[in-house]
């Protein structure tokens, strides 16, 4: 605990909390007001931590819709508890990190999702063309506190630290002003939760390594690569039994499967079935981007084209940055064309009447006869947005001049940097 509250460690934790920003917890204290609050109250908090008497506040319950249905439960701690958890993380991570598996990629220094999908690609290229795709059912909601604390106690001897972690695990969830007690789970949202998940699931990693399996795990997302369907079914049965018996975790049997890798997704990516096994963007990831684009474009229905592009660009850059590893570039080219068509559709909807269609098309260089014919075709906005008259009037160069991010060009720039 002395290492946790040490000045340099706390300063690094404080800077991290400031960078991450984040919403206020149940006490309503914002990051903007946090410094002044600490200057007044930190000596008492520090004394309580060193005495083993500090009691965390409840976390604010937030439910985030999942892309495939259902909700993900988040628990937003107060700014003070985020600071203390971050300070704990910085002390505990180096203690546990050396014992973590080489096959674990999530929430670890120097490791990321790109490394995980590239390792998976390597296993498939070796001839392991069946995957055991494990989906842990509501993992973060169902972590057994006693089992997790027993794993932490293997490394941590300070009773004050163990009590504090247990109190964080048991901190109540507040929703609509009512606090409910917790007897299991470690809701996502606090800095400590990712480390705790890796500590617990190291048992799974060790069992898979003991059995000689090739696998990649990113937090609770685990894929095991085998050479046959029969082997995959045997692994699925054995690991399901092991998880339920030793860690009291359940496999979601509807979402888990033994299948071909190209029929599944891993961290938003999938694979081609060709001999070279190329990385591609999973269909679900493409759908989520399209849904987001529709949301932004519809949200700018009454504004100008530049406003819609301004809203789109950060999303497109971030998405392309994550999917920079894709080796199927035609999809990005098609998406670029689809996004430009959505923006042409936005323009057509804004014009509303044939006389405006005619005037706008002529202003963009179409001759009077062609503009008149196009304006009076009686077709809807989506049809017209893909027709030649709108492509001529608003070519790719027009959107480039307005600064619209190109997924294909951005991906190529990321590849050059890499």
């Amino acid at each position: 605990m002395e290492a946790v509250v040490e000045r340099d460690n706390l300063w690094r934790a404080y800077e991290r909390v400031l960078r991450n920003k984040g919403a206020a917890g149940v006490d309503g204290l914002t990051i903007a007001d946090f410094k002044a609050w600490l200057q007044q109250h930190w000596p008492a908090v520090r004394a309580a931590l060193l005495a083993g008497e500090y009691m965390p506040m409840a976390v604010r319950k937030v439910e985030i819709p999942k892309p495939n249905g259902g909700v993900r439960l988040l628990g937003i701690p107060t700014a003070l508890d985020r600071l203390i958890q971050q300070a704990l993380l910085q002390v505990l991570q180096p203690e546990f990190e050396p014992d973590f598996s080489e096959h674990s990629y999530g929430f670890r220094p120097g490791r990321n999702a790109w490394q995980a999908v590239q390792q998976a690609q390597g296993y498939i290229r070796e001839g392991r063309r069946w995957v055991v795709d494990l989906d842990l059912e509501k993992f973060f909601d169902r972590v057994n506190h006693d089992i997790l604390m027993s794993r932490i106690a293997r490394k941590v001897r300070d009773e004050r630290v163990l009590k504090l972690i247990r109190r964080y695990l048991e901190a109540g969830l507040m929703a609509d002003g009512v606090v409910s007690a917790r007897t299991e789970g470690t809701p996502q949202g606090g800095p400590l939760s990712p480390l705790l998940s890796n500590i617990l699931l190291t048992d799974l990693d060790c069992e898979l390594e003991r059995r000689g399996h090739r696998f990649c795990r990113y937090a609770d997302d685990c894929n095991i690569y085998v050479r046959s369907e029969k082997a995959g079914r045997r692994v699925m049965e054995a690991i399901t039994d092991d998880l339920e018996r030793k860690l009291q975790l359940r496999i979601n049997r509807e979402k888990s499967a033994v299948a071909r890798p190209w029929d599944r997704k891993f961290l938003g990516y999938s694979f081609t079935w060709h001999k070279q096994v190329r990385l591609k963007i999973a269909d679900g990831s493409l759908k989520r981007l399209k849904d987001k684009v529709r949301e932004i474009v519809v949200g700018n229905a009454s504004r100008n084209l530049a406003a819609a592009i301004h809203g789109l660009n950060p999303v497109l850059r971030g998405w392309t940055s994550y999917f920079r590893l894709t080796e199927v570039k035609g999809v990005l080219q098609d998406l670029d064309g689809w996004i430009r068509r959505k923006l042409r559709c936005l323009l057509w909807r804004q014009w509303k009447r044939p006389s405006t269609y005619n005037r706008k098309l002529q202003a963009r260089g179409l001759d009077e006869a062609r503009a008149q014919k196009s304006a009076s075709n009686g077709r809807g906005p989506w049809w017209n947005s893909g027709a030649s008259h709108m492509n001529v009037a608003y070519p790719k160069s027009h959107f480039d001049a307005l600064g619209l991010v190109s997924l294909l060009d951005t991906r190529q720039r990321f590849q050059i940097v890499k």
Side-chain angles (χ1 to χ4, degrees):
M1 186 60 77
E2 281 74 14
V4 172
V5 301
E6 189 266 331
R7 183 178 178 83
D8 287 345
N9 185 57
L10 277 168
W11 183 251
R12 286 191 294 119
Y14 175 73
E15 289 183 324
R16 183 61 179 264
V17 170
L18 287 189
R19 282 199 306 272
N20 289 346
K21 299 178 182 177
V26 296
D27 61 353
L29 183 65
T30 65
I31 291 298
D33 299 326
F34 189 39
K35 182 177 181 180
W37 188 94
L38 276 178
Q39 288 172 339
Q40 181 178 353
H41 297 282
W42 177 250
V45 173
R46 183 179 185 275
L49 287 167
L50 289 172
E53 297 171 354
Y54 178 79
M55 297 296 295
M57 295 191 72
V59 296
R60 184 163 60 85
K61 181 179 178 180
V62 178
E63 292 183 342
I64 305 295
K66 289 184 178 180
N68 54 355
V71 294
R72 175 176 287 109
L73 176 64
L74 296 185
I76 309 300
T78 64
L80 175 61
D81 284 322
R82 293 206 294 274
L83 172 69
I84 296 170
Q85 286 193 34
Q86 181 64 37
L88 274 169
L89 174 67
Q90 290 167 184
V91 171
L92 294 176
Q93 182 106 40
E95 297 296 320
F96 286 93
E97 184 65 28
D99 293 335
F100 287 161
S101 169
E102 285 297 307
H103 305 279
S104 166
Y105 294 90
F107 309 109
R108 296 180 59 192
R111 289 175 166 259
N112 55 52
W114 297 323
Q115 295 168 337
V117 295
Q118 287 177 316
Q119 182 62 77
Q121 182 183 30
Y123 291 146
I124 301 167
R125 284 178 171 173
E126 290 173 5
R128 301 174 191 279
R129 296 197 161 211
W130 287 88
V131 61
V132 181
D133 185 354
L134 295 178
D135 185 281
L136 296 178
E137 186 174 328
K138 296 185 177 179
F139 168 73
F140 285 95
D141 300 342
R142 291 188 171 154
V143 168
N144 181 286
H145 291 174
D146 291 335
I147 294 174
L148 173 57
M149 290 306 303
S150 72
R151 279 22 176 204
I152 297 170
R154 292 171 181 172
K155 287 272 186 182
V156 177
R157 295 288 182 262
D158 191 328
E159 287 294 329
R160 297 167 298 178
V161 173
L162 293 172
K163 285 180 182 178
L164 182 58
I165 294 173
R166 168 75 79 164
R167 286 167 183 165
Y168 275 124
L169 290 173
E170 295 176 348
L173 276 173
M174 179 179 282
D176 300 322
V178 178
V179 176
S180 56
R182 269 193 302 154
T183 57
E184 63 178 2
T186 167
Q188 300 173 77
L192 206 52
S193 288
L195 174 63
L196 299 182
S197 71
N198 276 331
I199 291 172
L200 184 63
L201 290 176
T202 292
D203 278 27
L204 169 62
D205 298 339
C206 290
E207 182 61 23
L208 291 172
E209 287 173 349
R210 188 185 70 77
R211 294 169 182 252
H213 292 309
R214 304 292 189 271
F215 69 97
C216 300
R217 183 177 66 78
Y218 192 97
D220 59 333
D221 199 345
C222 184
N223 277 7
I224 307 162
Y225 295 88
V226 295
R227 295 186 183 275
S228 69
E229 182 179 12
K230 182 178 179 181
R233 297 201 177 283
R234 188 167 59 246
V235 170
M236 175 70 84
E237 183 178 344
I239 296 303
T240 297
D241 178 70
D242 203 67
L243 281 169
E244 293 180 349
R245 185 165 41 84
K246 294 182 179 178
L247 298 181
Q248 294 185 25
L249 296 172
R250 290 207 293 269
I251 296 293
N252 187 324
R253 297 178 188 275
E254 291 182 3
K255 294 182 179 179
S256 301
V258 176
R260 296 292 194 178
W262 39 89
D263 293 330
R264 307 294 290 179
K265 63 179 177 66
F266 182 49
L267 302 177
Y269 282 87
S270 189
F271 307 90
T272 65
W273 56 270
H274 305 92
K275 185 176 181 180
Q276 288 190 337
V277 188
R278 295 185 297 165
L279 279 170
K280 69 174 188 176
I281 302 167
D283 291 343
S285 303
L286 296 173
K287 180 183 182 301
R288 284 192 290 277
L289 176 66
K290 285 190 168 187
D291 289 344
K292 186 63 178 177
V293 169
R294 289 188 186 99
E295 179 185 318
I296 293 170
V297 172
V298 169
N300 285 276
S302 60
R303 302 167 70 187
N304 61 30
L305 190 62
I309 290 173
H310 180 74
L312 283 172
N313 278 346
V315 173
L316 300 180
R317 285 195 193 96
W319 190 86
T320 313
S321 173
Y322 182 76
F323 288 107
R324 66 179 69 180
L325 297 185
T326 182
E327 297 167 295
V328 182
K329 297 182 289 184
V331 173
L332 299 180
Q333 191 170 5
D334 291 345
L335 274 173
D336 277 336
W338 180 84
I339 291 168
R340 289 193 296 271
R341 184 173 179 181
K342 290 296 292 183
L343 293 172
R344 293 186 188 107
C345 184
L346 172 66
L347 289 173
W348 194 268
R349 288 183 185 279
Q350 289 177 340
W351 296 343
K352 294 183 179 178
R353 53 180 65 89
S355 60
T356 309
Y357 304 153
N358 190 353
R359 176 166 52 82
K360 293 286 189 179
L361 291 174
Q362 288 190 56
R364 291 294 305 167
L366 269 67
D367 62 66
E368 183 178 354
R370 186 177 183 188
Q372 175 64 39
K373 181 179 179 182
S374 300
S376 59
N377 62 38
R379 302 276 191 165
W382 185 244
W383 186 93
N384 278 284
S385 65
S388 61
H389 52 269
M390 283 296 281
N391 278 272
V392 170
Y394 292 89
K396 179 181 182 298
S397 58
H398 177 76
F399 296 100
D400 291 342
L402 289 173
L404 177 66
V405 165
S406 163
L407 300 175
L408 183 60
D409 293 346
T410 304
R411 181 260 182 195
Q412 289 170 342
R413 283 196 293 273
F414 280 130
Q415 290 289 308
I416 291 170
V417 171
K418 189 183 88 171

